[in-house]
Amino acid sequence: MPFFLTDYEKLYETRIEYDVIIYVGEEPNIKEEHAHSYILCARSQYFQVAFSKIWAEKKDGKFIFKKPNISPQLFDIILRFFYCGKIELKNLQGLDIWNLLIAVDELNIQPLISHIQEFLIENGAEILHENPTDILDILEKFYQHETFENLWNLCLETICDDPKILFNSDKFINLEAPLLELLLKRDDFYIKEIVIWENLLKWCFARQNIKSDPEKWNKDDITNIGRLLHKFIPSIRFYNIESTDFFCKVYSYKEILPQDLIHELSEFHRVPNIKSKANLAPLRKLNLKLNIDSNLIESDHFILFASWIDKKDPSNYNRRKFPYDFKLLYRSSKDGFNAELFHRNCDDKGATIWVAKIQSSTQLIGGYNPLDWNGNDWKNTADSFLFSFTDGKIISTAKLGYVKDASRAVYCGKNFGPHMGDLNCAYYIRSPNKWNYYYSGDSYPNIGIPKDITVEDYEVFQIIKKSI
């Protein structure tokens, strides 16, 4: 370290002959900071103005400032940068980094503004996924702040990729109307339309302090909720709501919706193949950048698969940051339960992942073969895995088991389907969709795959690494 930086670091630690007192934070967490005016002026245009005769307040020969909107912890970080030119963002918690950016922007510390923005653009998505409860606070702080447009868009994209962050938050009902409207207008808001509608109603009811049961509303309730809901109606893709959900969850609130819209929607859902008359917003892009052909699973499953393949945390992946393409090779409901067709479609295709739905059940099972399916023997790999979803529609029910005995990871044979470890996928003429799982505890962990399996349908996908 250059000798002059060492001297400044000592000055930071001792604060001898200081001429500035700054009270930072709010009760009960207020700290008195001491500093030198020439250091602050050299680093910050804010303090250059602050020490002018217009702003300056002096007491006993020392400048006095109050900064209640900056925490003592963050102000210490800023002071260390002023004196030593040092800052280590990786040691900070997620929300602290965003709050630090707000603080250095207020103090007009240009080098730090650029440095923190670059860090957040590179790491912000991961930080937001690790701290989802912070996103709404960040969203409101950065709203319409032109300097931070890229970070603002990052927050919006993170919520659009995983709207549960928004809707599951206790802070959702306090979200300002312009912010909610902005989100609902986006075509990439990744969630079913009926869920958007239900949460919009939840927000409206909370704002008006009205019960959700329309039978208990009076005329004023209907007027107030209808007026609040009005601006959001063009953002709802009502024609994308299934008929059952429309009549159970939309039509019951017909009193607060435009009557011409209710009439057209009722006609649309009652008359087969009728064209919609309303000029409403287009379909949302529910599979943004993941154009995957599957009857059994959705994009969220494949995001999870990618994290399992790479052995990384799922928060590192989203629909905009996804390393693989998944190409459908085989579907039993289309190609039949046929070993010959399985191998014709899947051999020599490299790494694959397969998913099977168990008949008369919500359970899905599957596996990852990082090698291929050609040959007639066991194949050795330490990277394969089996998985199970107790309920295939609920991601959180997933169970994962990486191979324990690499020598019995994958079995290939002309009369077998995706046979892995103790999972026997032999094709028998009388019962081609009957599989067995004789768990021994040797090849893969126990993840709840049943012993006797009747497969309703299964799919195999080739895994193609995207070029960077």
Side-chain angles (χ1 to χ4, degrees), residues 170-183:
D170 293 337
K171 301 173 183 177
F172 165 63
I173 58 174
N174 297 320
L175 191 68
E176 293 300 319
L179 281 174
L180 181 57
E181 186 179 7
L182 189 65
L183 279 164

Side-chain angles (χ1 to χ4, degrees), residues 104-229:
V104 300
D105 179 64
E106 179 186 339
L107 299 177
N108 202 0
I109 312 170
Q110 290 301 321
L112 263 188
I113 293 172
S114 300
H115 178 68
I116 298 172
Q117 279 201 92
E118 289 172 6
F119 179 85
L120 285 172
I121 288 170
E122 183 177 349
N123 302 282
E126 182 177 349
I127 293 171
L128 290 172
H129 278 289
E130 290 174 354
N131 305 273
T133 57
D134 296 338
I135 290 183
L136 296 190
D137 288 334
I138 295 166
L139 197 63
E140 293 186 333
K141 288 179 181 179
F142 282 77
Y143 180 50
Q144 292 184 335
H145 201 309
E146 293 181 2
T147 307
F148 306 133
E149 183 178 356
N150 289 336
L151 295 177
W152 162 253
N153 286 329
L154 177 63
C155 290
L156 290 178
E157 288 177 1
T158 302
I159 291 176
C160 287
D161 284 339
D162 188 4
K164 294 189 295 295
I165 292 172
L166 174 70
F167 293 145
N168 291 353
S169 171
D170 293 337
K171 301 173 183 177
F172 165 63
I173 58 174
N174 297 320
L175 191 68
E176 293 300 319
L179 281 174
L180 181 57
E181 186 179 7
L182 189 65
L183 279 164
L184 298 190
K185 283 181 177 179
R186 291 180 66 109
D187 293 336
D188 60 346
F189 198 47
Y190 182 81
I191 200 166
K192 291 183 178 179
E193 205 67 29
I194 189 61
V195 177
I196 294 175
W197 168 250
E198 289 179 307
N199 280 281
L200 174 59
L201 289 178
K202 172 185 172 183
W203 180 88
C204 289
F205 297 153
R207 286 289 183 145
Q208 294 294 323
N209 195 25
I210 292 175
K211 300 292 185 182
S212 60
D213 185 358
E215 297 294 328
K216 297 180 180 179
W217 294 349
N218 57 39
K219 289 184 178 181
D220 287 341
D221 293 335
I222 294 172
T223 300
N224 292 335
I225 200 72
R227 185 181 295 121
L228 180 61
L229 185 65

Side-chain angles (χ1 to χ4, degrees), residues 31-100:
K31 183 179 180 181
E32 180 179 316
E33 293 279 11
H34 299 162
H36 302 85
S37 58
Y38 63 90
I39 296 287
L40 302 187
C41 287
R43 288 290 196 179
S44 166
Q45 294 178 13
Y46 173 92
F47 282 109
Q48 291 175 17
V49 177
F51 287 117
S52 69
K53 293 182 180 179
I54 300 173
W55 276 25
E57 174 191 345
K58 268 195 168 185
K59 184 177 181 181
D60 299 329
K62 291 182 172 56
F63 293 100
I64 308 295
F65 290 97
K66 295 180 181 179
K67 297 301 297 176
N69 58 326
I70 303 178
S71 72
Q73 177 201 8
L74 296 184
F75 201 83
D76 278 338
I77 292 170
I78 293 169
L79 276 183
R80 174 172 281 276
F81 176 79
F82 280 163
Y83 283 84
C84 312
K86 294 179 179 179
I87 188 165
E88 183 51 70
L89 298 176
K90 291 182 180 179
N91 296 332
L92 292 176
Q93 298 296 316
L95 186 58
D96 287 337
I97 302 175
W98 299 84
N99 285 332
L100 181 62

Side-chain angles (χ1 to χ4, degrees), residues 219-452:
K219 289 184 178 181
D220 287 341
D221 293 335
I222 294 172
T223 300
N224 292 335
I225 200 72
R227 185 181 295 121
L228 180 61
L229 185 65
H230 178 75
K231 68 172 67 177
F232 297 102
I233 289 174
S235 303
I236 304 298
R237 280 67 159 168
F238 286 103
Y239 286 97
N240 300 137
I241 296 175
E242 295 180 1
S243 295
T244 301
D245 284 332
F246 168 74
F247 286 110
C248 293
K249 300 176 180 180
V250 178
Y251 189 78
S252 55
Y253 295 103
K254 61 184 180 297
E255 297 296 332
I256 57 175
L257 287 167
Q259 292 306 298
D260 58 342
L261 177 63
I262 284 293
H263 174 76
E264 289 183 10
L265 288 172
S266 300
E267 188 179 57
F268 173 80
H269 286 290
R270 287 191 174 105
V271 181
N273 302 320
I274 193 171
K275 292 184 179 180
S276 64
K277 300 175 184 177
N279 184 23
L280 297 179
L283 281 167
R284 298 187 197 273
K285 299 172 184 176
L286 295 184
N287 285 306
L288 182 67
K289 290 195 175 183
L290 289 183
N291 297 317
I292 298 169
D293 180 10
S294 176
N295 293 337
L296 301 179
I297 48 180
E298 299 180 355
S299 296
D300 284 346
H301 294 82
F302 287 97
I303 290 173
L304 197 59
F305 295 160
S307 72
W308 291 345
I309 291 168
D310 293 342
K311 298 180 181 179
K312 294 182 179 179
D313 191 280
S315 65
N316 292 314
Y317 302 87
N318 57 51
R319 290 162 192 81
R320 293 175 174 83
K321 184 182 177 183
F322 196 73
Y324 302 106
D325 286 321
F326 289 83
K327 179 183 177 182
L328 180 68
L329 299 176
Y330 178 88
R331 176 179 289 143
S332 62
S333 59
K334 172 178 172 289
D335 302 312
F337 287 88
N338 185 298
E340 182 181 352
L341 276 176
F342 167 79
H343 285 285
R344 184 188 303 170
N345 292 356
C346 302
D347 284 2
D348 300 312
K349 295 296 194 302
T352 55
I353 199 159
W354 61 270
V355 184
K357 183 179 185 302
I358 298 178
Q359 196 171 77
S360 303
S361 169
T362 59
Q363 187 173 9
L364 297 177
I365 62 172
Y368 167 60
N369 174 4
L371 305 173
D372 52 50
W373 291 107
N374 63 313
N376 194 35
D377 204 350
W378 285 101
K379 294 193 173 183
N380 188 313
T381 176
D383 296 321
S384 63
F385 56 76
L386 290 173
F387 60 84
S388 170
F389 292 88
T390 306
D391 187 333
K393 294 183 179 180
I394 303 176
I395 292 290
S396 61
T397 64
K399 294 181 180 179
L400 172 67
Y402 287 98
V403 65
K404 296 165 63 177
D405 181 355
S407 66
R408 291 180 58 83
V410 176
Y411 183 80
C412 301
K414 65 178 183 179
N415 294 320
F416 290 83
H419 188 120
M420 299 177 66
D422 298 326
L423 181 63
N424 180 9
C425 301
Y427 282 94
Y428 299 104
I429 295 176
R430 292 185 178 179
S431 53
N433 66 330
K434 302 286 186 182
W435 296 352
N436 305 106
Y437 187 58
Y438 299 108
Y439 177 68
S440 66
D442 297 328
S443 55
Y444 289 88
N446 184 4
I447 55 170
I449 297 177
K451 178 180 177 181
D452 297 310

